[in-house]
């Protein structure tokens, strides 16, 4: 057989693996790769979850805490794990394949913070410091914004000190509370931060390599002299890009930037909220390509005026893209955007709006070649039947879709096991139409063995034989 850990990982992540196999595996010593299988498992039974929560091997608990397919309520049981690495993995687990956040319950974050700041969590051979654990929470894409803001009212002074880091994003009342905090260190930090931010947002560093004045250029009321210095080329070129989004910029200087040589600057001007449709149309802007389905926020540096349905009717593709990723879009606007002439509008609509027709989801997937393309296949309604027709498609991503077709002919599936692209071969090794005898042979394939172990058609006895080879006793 190929690497035994890889095969065990495949078995443990197999969508059809029975609880008896999982429980047997958990009685043995699992390697890091094998634990990765548990971290990817899509349907862990409750009795298996119970064993994993109390498992002596922290790698098993980490696998549960970081598994994006497990209910966040179940995962949150590990937020106060004695091992900081387990707790950190729980709050900063892997993003679900559909890309949507799966936050823990609020009380889970509260328990995590209490435990992370307590003395009880600081024993043993810890791989992460307290500050590093907190940083993982702050950097997690799943953590809701209101959890960060809750630091202001936490009883731990260290967390209130941390809240000062995002001073500009705190409500005014919270900033006042921090400057009046009963702990001198906190109120001192808050007051220094207030002064620092005021200075940073009003004074501009003209050093060509400096990036620290971006917020000042983008947000604050610039003096006429400073604005002209930026726009007439006496400042670092990237400053014009940030000035193009400044809401206080005088109209005559906005008009200058609308003719800027840099297409990024012209585009940023073209989506300023105060412009009319005619004014937008008069700008020679270039709409940037959508390169990453998880990066739509950059199309909306400031919310435009109006409602999502009004943006959806704009002649400007940038505003329609903003509408495509917005909450509150009507079904009528959604349907119009799903067939929009702009690829970015279409794929962002499919990525963010529910109820898009299956054939339009498939069209968006076919047309889009950027990062996180596979997010679209997780959208509700993405088609399955009939995908075998793409077995000979020149696009390897389309050939991969054959895996999703439950009616794909056996000869088509077997043929794709020899596809020139490894990703296609690996995908089709997981198709249940692979004949069992061929599947068992694939287990010995150094390349495709772990993928064959993920195949739901793999006999249970074959799963047990893999555990035999890994040294896991039967009947334990």
């Amino acid at each position: 057989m190929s690497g035994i850990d890889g095969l065990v990982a495949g078995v443990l992540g197999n969508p059809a693996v029975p609880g008896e196999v999982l429980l047997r595996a958990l009685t043995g010593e699992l390697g890091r790769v094998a634990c990765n299988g548990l971290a990817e498992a899509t349907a862990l039974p409750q009795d298996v979850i119970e064993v994993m929560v109390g498992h002596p091997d922290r790698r098993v608990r980490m696998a549960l805490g970081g598994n994006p397919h497990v209910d966040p309520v179940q995962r949150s049981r590990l937020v106060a794990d004695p091992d900081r690495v387990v707790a950190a993995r729980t709050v900063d687990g892997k993003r679900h394949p559909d890309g949507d956040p799966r936050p823990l319950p609020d009380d889970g974050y509260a328990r995590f913070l209490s435990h992370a700041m307590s003395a009880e969590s600081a024993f043993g051979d810890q791989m992460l410091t307290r500050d590093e654990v907190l940083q993982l929470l702050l950097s997690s894409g799943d953590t809701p914004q209101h959890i960060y803001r809750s630091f202001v009212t936490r009883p731990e002074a260290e967390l209130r000190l941390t809240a000062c880091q995002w001073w500009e994003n705190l409500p005014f009342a919270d900033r006042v509370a921090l400057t009046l905090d009963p702990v001198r260190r906190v109120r001192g930090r808050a007051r220094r931060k207030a002064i620092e931010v005021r200075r940073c947002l009003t004074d501009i560093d003209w050093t060509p390599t400096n990036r620290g004045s971006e917020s000042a250029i983008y947000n604050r009321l610039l003096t006429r002299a400073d604005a002209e210095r930026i726009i007439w080329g006496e400042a670092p070129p990237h400053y014009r890009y940030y000035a193009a989004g400044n809401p206080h910029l005088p109209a005559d200087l906005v008009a200058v930037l609308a003719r800027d040589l840099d297409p990024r600057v012209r585009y940023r001007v073209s989506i300023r909220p105060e412009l009319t449709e005619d004014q937008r149309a008069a700008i020679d802007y270039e709409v940037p390509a959508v390169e990453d389905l998880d990066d739509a926020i950059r199309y909306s540096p400031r919310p435009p005026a109006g409602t999502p349905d009004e943006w959806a009717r704009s002649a400007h593709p940038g505003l329609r893209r903003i509408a495509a990723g917005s909450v509150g879009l009507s079904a009528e606007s959604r349907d119009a955007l799903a067939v929009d002439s702009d690829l970015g509008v279409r794929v962002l609509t499919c990525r963010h709006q529910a109820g898009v027709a299956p054939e339009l989801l498939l069209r968006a997937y076919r047309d889009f070649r950027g990062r996180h393309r596979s997010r679209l296949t997780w959208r509700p309604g993405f088609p399955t039947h009939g995908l075998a027709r793409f077995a000979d498609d020149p696009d390897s991503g389309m050939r991969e879709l054959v895996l999703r077709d439950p009616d794909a002919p056996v000869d088509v599936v077997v043929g794709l096991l020899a596809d020139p692209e490894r990703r296609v071969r690996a995908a089709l090794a997981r198709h249940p139409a692979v004949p069992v005898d061929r599947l068992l042979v694939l287990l010995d394939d150094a390349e495709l063995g772990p993928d064959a172990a993920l195949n739901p058609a793999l006999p249970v006895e074959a799963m047990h034989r893999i555990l035999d080879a890994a040294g896991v006793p039967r009947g334990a």
Side-chain angles (χ1 to χ4, degrees), residues 382-426:
F382 194 90
T384 53
H385 296 278
L387 299 180
R389 69 184 185 274
F390 299 121
D392 297 320
D393 197 282
D395 177 1
S396 61
M398 297 302 292
R399 301 197 299 276
E400 278 187 77
L401 292 181
V402 178
L403 169 64
R404 300 176 53 85
D405 189 342
D407 302 322
V410 172
D411 61 328
V412 170
V413 172
V414 171
L416 288 172
L417 293 174
D419 193 272
E421 290 287 338
R422 190 218 175 277
R423 287 178 51 188
V424 177
R425 298 194 299 273

